[in-house]
Amino acid sequence: MKKSIALAILASFAGAASAQSSVTVYGLLDAGITSEIGGAAGSIVKLATGVQSGNRLGFKGTEDLGIGLKANFQIENGFNADTGTARQGGALFGRQAYVGLSGNFGAVNLGRQYDPLFVALDTIDPFGTGLTGASTNLMSAGNVRTNNAIKYTSKNLSGFTADVLYGAGESANGASVGRTIGFSGTYANGPVLVAVAYDKVNANVAVAQPELKLVLVGATYNFGVAMAHAAYETEKGNGNDFRDYLLGVSVPVGAAGSLMASYINKDDRTNKQTGGKQLAIGYTYALSKRTNAYTSYGHIKNDAAGTNFVGDASSGGSAPAAGKNSGALTVGIRHKF
């Protein structure tokens, strides 16, 4: 009898523990038809993959540890929908792979994670760094993701949040080789969002990684009938010195549509003349809560030696001859699950 009671008590504890844990399986599939103009291969029409957002399959979960602590993890695989092949260099979980703890202090996670500057740029860009109007066609997002990263995210303090990231270079040539240091501060309250971010990547000649230093300041303001977007970025390193400017707008159209447009100027402060200007417009329409259709057009006018090209969230494009223009028109569908 006593044994039966003990087993019942243990079973109740196990049930309570499992009830406090959760694992979510999620993903996204995105494919479209894109017509590219001005690339090295000339004008082509292709089945593009991950145009608005990169394709992914992921798992994430939390476990309540008590005393105000939770264990958290996330692993996320990236792939091409048109061929089924892996992205991010073939890494099994190349998009994200981390584990950590969260509580009243915020969250600390260890593993492959997004750089704070990329997250800030993605938030400010009216195209969300996707479609053929992606800000990353001309503006730098650093490494986007950092390996060997320790990342701290603060709690929301009256609208303010902060991220600090340290990515160990882990090089035999020295601890600072290939090291990444980044941070961001974001204030979001009502219609206003303001973000400031910094990212520094040290050179690592073993993997052809140049030094890069980025500073980003951006903001959005929601007027109700439209949202204004603006950003300014300095980009230095590897003999480059750019000043990037973004102005954009996003407008809700009815209950399910959204129209967005942006202008970006990549100003080359050296005599290399490798900058350019991008003008883009796009439209998305929600077919359901999880599925939307999209179309967008982007055009880049390059400086005399510029080889910038119109890409998207992941399928990209091809660089034109120096000084030639680049353009792309796309239409497609995205489904989240």
Side-chain angles (χ1 to χ4, degrees):
M1 181 66 180
K2 289 182 179 179
K3 184 177 180 181
S4 298
I5 294 173
L7 289 172
I9 292 173
L10 287 172
S12 69
F13 277 118
S18 63
Q20 294 173 346
S21 301
S22 67
V23 176
T24 300
V25 181
Y26 67 94
L28 183 152
L29 285 163
D30 180 329
I33 299 172
T34 298
S35 174
E36 297 177 351
I37 304 167
S43 299
I44 61 171
V45 176
K46 67 180 185 181
L47 179 61
T49 175
V51 178
Q52 184 177 4
S53 305
N55 295 289
R56 67 201 68 176
L57 174 64
F59 304 82
K60 59 183 178 180
T62 64
E63 181 186 13
D64 192 337
L65 303 175
I67 62 172
L69 279 178
K70 289 184 178 180
N72 311 284
F73 81 90
Q74 186 166 5
I75 52 177
E76 191 174 270
N77 168 263
F79 61 92
N80 295 307
D82 55 345
T83 62
T85 53
R87 291 189 59 82
Q88 289 83 45
L92 179 59
F93 295 110
R95 290 185 60 88
Q96 296 185 85
Y98 66 79
V99 64
L101 295 172
S102 62
N104 291 330
F105 59 89
V108 175
N109 292 310
L110 312 176
R112 180 171 169 84
Q113 301 172 74
Y114 282 109
D115 285 358
L117 186 138
F118 170 74
V119 175
L121 182 60
D122 184 71
T123 301
I124 295 161
D125 183 0
F127 288 88
T129 63
L131 299 175
T132 54
S135 57
T136 46
N137 292 339
L138 287 181
M139 302 177 70
S140 178
N143 286 336
V144 180
R145 303 172 182 88
T146 297
N147 292 331
N148 312 313
I150 304 169
K151 186 176 182 180
Y152 167 73
T153 300
S154 74
K155 292 193 68 176
N156 190 315
L157 303 172
S158 301
F160 178 81
T161 55
D163 287 290
V164 180
L165 178 142
Y166 176 86
E170 299 189 359
S171 170
N173 296 321
S176 65
V177 175
R179 181 176 61 194
T180 298
I181 296 175
F183 61 83
S184 68
T186 302
Y187 176 76
N189 191 1
V192 179
L193 182 144
V194 179
V196 178
Y198 171 85
D199 194 40
K200 183 182 179 183
V201 182
N202 289 351
N204 186 350
V205 295
V207 293
Q209 175 181 291
E211 182 179 274
L212 183 64
K213 184 185 293 185
L214 304 171
V215 177
L216 175 72
V217 179
T220 64
Y221 190 91
N222 193 342
F223 292 94
V225 295
M227 180 179 288
H229 305 249
Y232 170 74
E233 180 182 58
T234 64
E235 178 185 343
K236 295 183 179 181
N238 199 32
N240 295 318
D241 186 0
F242 295 107
R243 302 292 186 275
D244 305 330
Y245 308 85
L246 178 150
L247 291 174
V249 64
S250 52
V251 183
V253 181
S258 180
L259 179 70
M260 66 278 301
S262 69
Y263 170 79
I264 300 174
N265 181 6
K266 188 177 191 68
D267 181 16
D268 190 345
R269 295 298 180 94
T270 71
N271 60 4
K272 297 178 182 179
Q273 300 185 55
T274 58
K277 299 175 177 63
Q278 174 175 285
L279 187 62
I281 187 168
Y283 177 74
T284 64
Y285 184 82
L287 302 171
S288 71
K289 289 184 178 180
R290 297 185 297 169
T291 305
N292 72 275
Y294 59 76
T295 184
S296 67
Y297 174 75
H299 176 82
I300 290 178
K301 182 179 180 181
N302 277 304
D303 293 347
T307 57
N308 305 290
F309 61 89
V310 177
D312 51 43
S314 60
S315 66
S318 59
K324 299 298 182 180
N325 298 336
S326 171
L329 173 67
T330 190
V331 59
I333 188 168
R334 180 182 70 169
H335 175 73
K336 300 176 180 180
F337 62 90

